[in-house]
Amino acid sequence: MELRVLQYFLAVAREQSISAAAESLHLSQPTLSTQLKAMEEELGKQLLIRGTKGSRKVVLTDEGVILRKRAEEILDLVKKTESEIQFSNESIAGDVYIGAGETDVIRFFAQAACELKKTYPDIHYHISSGNSAYVIERLDKGLIDFGLLYGTIDRSKYESIEIPIKDTFGVLMQKDAPLSEKEFIAPEDLWDKPLIMSHQEERDGWPVASQIRRDVSKLNIVATYNLLFNGSLLVEEGLGYAVCFDKLINTTGDSNLCFRPIKPEIETAPSIVWKKYQVFSKAAEKYLQQLQKLFESIE
């Protein structure tokens, strides 16, 4: 399977039309159709359902959906590899790829990048956001250099540095909500309240719910979110109280929201993680050194 044909296939998946894809690729439609048919024969699976006379729209089969996902990952990895090889000489330039969830710790990643930029202005940074499963998947596939993870790290697979900064869990609420009068929120304060929780909490077995000291089945979880900004809109509209990290939503000025920490404190220490025996590009290596230097100054 050639990389060029994977690019053709992704163009068809994007355009949902062989003729439109052929035009964007500057190919004739018969040439493109022949290439796609040859790939299907090589794989022994139908990847595309061609449009009927009444519709020219192309639909991916289940196998086509799988190939689209893998093709995107393969081409991303090829691009990353080409960049690393291109900048493997004495110059230090290139791209650094980071995967992380929503956290104020990203500020320290930015500080390290800003400091490094003074000496190496041709290093560029790419942050992709997602939950821990997303970050680990991209680490394992070599699509990112570093991941920011919370909790226990698998030392057999990854190297890591624990970051000497702790994120604090608390509750995001409307400024006139009943609990806003409290300086701190006790676990029992949340037992009968409508809660908006991170979707990752659900996937990870609701660890924060256990800190609230209540069986999750007895909590009134009215909604879950993947991005806290979206969760904050639910709070603004009065749907409930969002359990989240501090410092992610602006609660100053004209904001209708406020944040109250949970007591006893629920603090989570993040780690920067990379694959064991990872061979870094010079840009990624310099960035890791800068992060280590920054974290050492904080300790």
Side-chain angles (χ1 to χ4, degrees), residues 113-125:
C114 288
E115 187 61 32
L116 205 59
K117 185 178 180 181
K118 297 175 183 176
T119 309
Y120 306 108
D122 294 323
I123 297 178
H124 305 282
Y125 304 89

Side-chain angles (χ1 to χ4, degrees), residues 2 204 288:
E2 297 181 27
D204 293 347
L288 179 59

Side-chain angles (χ1 to χ4, degrees), residues 2 21 31 33 105-106 112 126 132 146 153 164 206 218 244 260 268 278-279:
E2 297 181 27
T31 298
S33 295
V105 174
I106 295 297
H126 310 274
S132 59
F146 308 107
I153 307 299
W206 304 102
K218 296 181 180 179
C244 58
R260 298 290 182 266
T268 306
Q278 173 83 15
V279 178

Side-chain angles (χ1 to χ4, degrees), residues 138-251:
R138 293 184 74 79
L139 267 178
D140 290 344
K141 292 177 178 176
L143 300 176
I144 57 176
D145 299 301
F146 308 107
L148 184 67
L149 296 174
Y150 291 81
T152 304
I153 307 299
D154 185 348
R155 304 294 177 187
S156 67
K157 294 177 62 177
Y158 308 109
E159 301 285 355
S160 65
I161 301 172
E162 186 170 318
I163 300 174
I165 305 153
K166 295 188 183 296
D167 277 309
T168 301
F169 271 108
V171 184
L172 187 69
M173 66 189 80
Q174 292 180 330
K175 284 183 176 177
D176 58 357
L179 292 185
S180 65
E181 298 177 2
K182 290 177 168 281
E183 185 177 358
F184 301 102
I185 305 301
E188 55 269 23
D189 292 331
L190 301 174
W191 289 355
D192 62 346
K193 298 296 187 293
L195 302 181
I196 301 168
M197 305 281 280
S198 166
H199 181 60
Q200 184 171 330
E201 277 289 304
E202 183 177 16
R203 296 185 62 166
D204 293 347
W206 304 102
V208 171
S210 66
Q211 296 288 339
I212 298 174
R213 303 174 186 172
R214 192 74 164 176
D215 187 282
V216 67
S217 64
K218 296 181 180 179
L219 292 173
N220 181 18
I221 300 175
V222 297
T224 62
Y225 63 84
N226 188 35
L227 298 173
L228 183 55
F229 176 76
N230 292 336
S232 72
L233 297 181
L234 301 182
V235 176
E236 281 191 0
E237 294 302 319
L239 186 61
Y241 296 80
V243 180
C244 58
F245 282 146
D246 194 6
K247 300 178 182 177
L248 294 179
I249 299 296
N250 182 12
T251 57

Side-chain angles (χ1 to χ4, degrees), residues 76-94:
D76 281 346
L77 185 55
V78 168
K79 181 180 178 181
K80 182 174 183 290
T81 303
E82 288 174 343
S83 176
E84 290 174 354
I85 293 173
Q86 180 181 355
F87 295 109
S88 63
N89 54 23
E90 292 304 313
S91 65
I92 297 180

